[in-house]
Amino acid sequence: MISPLRVLCTALTATLAAGCTLAPNYERPALPVPSAWGTPSSEETTGAVATELPWRDYFTDTRLRTIIELAITNNRDLRIAALNIDRARAMYRIQRADLLPSVDLVGGQNVQRVPESVSMTGYEYISRQNTASAIIGWELDFFGRIRSLNSQAVETYLATEEARRSAQISLVAEIANAWLALAADSELLDLARRTFDTQQKSVELIRKSFTAGAASALDLAQARTAMERARADTAQYTAQVARDRNALALLVGAPVPGSLQAGTLAGALSTVADLPPGVPSEVLVKRPDVLQAEHMLRAANANIGAARAAFFPSITLTAGAGTASSTLDGMFDTGTRAWSFMPQITLPIFHAGALRANLDRAEIERNIQVAQYEKTIQSAFREVADALADRATLAEQLDARRALVNAANESYRLSEARYRGGLDSHLVLLDAQRSQYAAEQELIATRLAEAINRVMLYKVLGGGWK
């Protein structure tokens, strides 16, 4: 007689040799975006690729790198993303275990009272049976249902890994932007304080002139107006700097030492490297969020195979080998060995359309994932195109702002000289001061926008997770 172990080994060999599923062949959807960015550049096909450039090489300032390292260690959102990976890995291990036989050791006792009315001997008696056996159970995956579910679990696991990379990219970019914003607001605060000090001295001089009859009450009121505006800006930027520090600490997940904060925005600009964008087909498919969407599409594609396999018979083998005895002390005596072999085949006949509906659902989910993948590609393309559009004019804006500051400084110098020479009124000098103050504020804002644009370009090109 053929032993159950040999039957199981034969079935295992046949199943592994089959190795096929009913899932449709996967084909990556075509990119639903143009083949070139809307703002071409001569640098598009040269230079480093963002996905291959670690953030430690892109952000060269040691203070910023230290802050990013702290955030990667302490940030709660990133920690949740890492735990999601562990959960998906565990689910994959559970699903993969279904491919192999399960072995359980079962022991039990059955005690039964047999009454006289049904007893073969005409007397009542108590029947006792003690068993101990190893049970082997296995579903033969001839039609790939389990392998399809296993593939789905693998793709889901890989998708969570890409989700964590996307989370890290966003975190790195947010920290860099928060660090740069803190530097810019600190510089604006310093500018407001210096302006307030200058205006305060101007008010004191005009007050003395007004007391001596050399200045009018209007001159004094105008000077005080400019001073109070600078004082209000000082209070506003003081609060904004405090909010920036709180935002940075929240992103990092721990207090940020003052020694790690940027002193000035001008010094922080050199810490953010420049990066050529590359071409869409090479850039977009390497972004972690795009890879995540593609893994989810692959998972949905594999789920169709499991839904199709449900239409076909399922074969389950269950075998057991052990001992059986009426007494515990005789369970392992000679002649107590027992075994069982119970193959079972289940052929679906009528399920009121549930199997067809389940397959339709799987195909619809695959179509949804196709649309989601295409939407992710389109969103990624727009993000890069927008960053390149801003980049194309920011250099010119920055040059114009610098020239504007130089012109405002010269205008203020000439106005002050003419005012002291009695050629212009204090109103002309005050207007030159306001223009100078506004030009310096706009230059700081443009510097921040240019630095943030470089960070954004690095992010949308898929860099920052290594």
Side-chain angles (χ1 to χ4, degrees):
M1 182 175 292
I2 300 176
S3 69
L5 182 59
R6 180 176 298 180
V7 173
L8 284 175
C9 292
T10 303
L12 175 61
T13 303
T15 301
L16 294 179
C20 62
T21 67
L22 299 179
N25 294 329
Y26 174 76
E27 294 183 4
R28 175 186 288 174
L31 296 183
V33 293
S35 58
W37 308 115
T39 53
S41 169
S42 60
E43 300 177 321
E44 285 189 358
T45 58
T46 63
V49 179
T51 53
E52 299 175 359
L53 184 63
W55 59 262
R56 292 177 182 84
D57 295 339
Y58 189 73
F59 302 107
T60 59
D61 190 281
T62 56
R63 296 167 298 177
L64 179 56
R65 284 190 290 189
T66 301
I67 292 176
I68 293 175
E69 288 173 353
L70 287 173
I72 292 176
T73 303
N74 297 317
N75 185 268
R76 300 311 188 267
D77 290 335
L78 209 57
R79 190 175 300 175
I80 292 172
L83 291 173
N84 285 334
I85 293 177
D86 293 338
R87 179 177 61 182
R89 185 185 296 115
M91 292 300 297
Y92 162 64
R93 290 167 57 194
I94 293 173
Q95 192 62 57
R96 184 180 60 180
D98 289 341
L99 288 170
L100 300 175
S102 62
V103 181
D104 297 297
L105 183 62
V106 179
Q109 182 183 63
N110 182 23
V111 181
Q112 182 180 9
R113 177 183 177 276
V114 181
E116 296 178 359
S117 58
V118 296
S119 174
M120 298 293 296
T121 62
Y123 300 96
E124 68 174 46
Y125 65 93
I126 296 178
S127 171
R128 299 177 184 272
Q129 184 179 15
N130 301 285
T131 59
S133 59
I135 305 298
I136 302 176
W138 186 31
E139 178 180 347
L140 301 183
D141 194 28
F142 284 118
F143 301 101
R145 185 186 72 86
I146 298 177
R147 285 193 298 278
S148 294
L149 293 176
N150 184 60
S151 298
Q152 180 190 26
V154 170
E155 296 299 336
T156 302
Y157 162 64
L158 295 176
T160 57
E161 281 195 331
E162 298 300 338
R164 190 214 179 263
R165 292 176 179 178
S166 291
Q168 180 167 320
I169 289 175
S170 298
L171 177 63
V172 169
E174 286 179 12
I175 289 174
N177 289 338
W179 190 74
L180 292 168
L182 176 57
D185 289 334
S186 298
E187 196 167 335
L188 287 170
L189 175 59
D190 182 65
L191 174 62
R193 285 172 175 169
R194 287 188 281 107
T195 302
F196 173 71
D197 292 340
T198 301
Q199 296 290 358
Q200 192 174 33
K201 294 176 182 178
S202 178
V203 167
E204 292 300 325
L205 290 174
I206 294 177
R207 182 179 286 112
K208 291 179 181 178
S209 299
F210 174 72
T211 302
S216 66
L218 178 60
D219 291 340
L220 180 60
Q222 289 173 341
R224 289 185 60 192
T225 299
M227 181 189 70
E228 295 302 332
R229 181 178 293 111
R231 186 161 76 98
D233 287 347
T234 301
Q236 175 186 348
Y237 291 126
T238 299
Q240 185 60 48
V241 167
R243 288 195 294 268
D244 290 341
R245 288 172 178 163
N246 293 336
L248 190 58
L250 178 62
L251 288 172
V252 173
V256 179
S259 60
L260 298 179
Q261 298 170 10
T264 61
L265 183 59
L269 279 175
S270 61
T271 69
V272 182
D274 206 353
L275 188 73
V279 294
S281 60
E282 296 176 354
V283 171
L284 299 181
V285 296
K286 294 182 179 180
R287 279 184 35 154
D289 59 336
V290 175
L291 291 174
Q292 177 188 359
E294 185 172 7
H295 284 305
M296 294 305 298
L297 174 56
R298 287 177 176 272
N301 195 71
N303 195 41
I304 294 178
R308 288 176 175 176
F311 286 88
F312 294 88
S314 63
I315 300 174
T316 304
L317 302 181
T318 303
T323 65
S325 174
S326 59
T327 60
L328 289 175
D329 57 357
M331 284 189 61
F332 300 100
D333 292 344
T334 302
T336 61
R337 288 183 301 172
W339 62 268
S340 63
F341 178 60
M342 294 172 290
Q344 179 179 354
I345 182 171
T346 302
L347 178 63
I349 300 298
F350 176 73
H351 290 268
L355 297 179
R356 179 72 250 182
N358 186 55
L359 178 58
D360 292 342
R361 177 188 60 81
E363 292 176 344
I364 292 171
E365 287 181 351
R366 191 267 311 273
N367 294 337
I368 290 174
Q369 291 302 325
V370 169
Q372 186 65 42
Y373 175 77
E374 294 175 342
K375 178 183 176 182
T376 303
I377 287 283
Q378 291 173 340
S379 299
F381 183 89
R382 178 182 176 181
E383 288 175 354
V384 177
D386 288 348
L388 290 175
D390 292 339
R391 178 190 183 193
T393 60
L394 275 170
E396 184 178 355
Q397 292 181 43
L398 198 54
D399 289 340
R401 294 299 181 190
R402 291 194 186 101
L404 180 60
V405 168
N406 292 334
N409 290 337
E410 182 65 13
S411 176
Y412 174 72
R413 186 185 67 80
L414 294 174
S415 296
E416 185 179 29
R418 290 175 63 85
Y419 173 71
R420 293 184 183 277
L423 298 177
D424 282 338
S425 66
H426 183 264
L427 181 60
V428 175
L429 176 62
L430 187 63
D431 184 65
Q433 288 176 333
R434 285 196 296 263
S435 298
Q436 181 191 42
Y437 182 43
E440 291 181 345
Q441 287 179 316
E442 291 167 356
L443 176 59
I444 294 173
T446 305
R447 283 174 175 168
L448 176 62
E450 199 272 340
I452 288 179
N453 175 257
R454 282 193 257 169
V455 174
M456 179 59 65
L457 190 59
Y458 181 58
K459 171 189 175 182
V460 298
L461 290 176
W465 62 268
K466 288 187 177 181

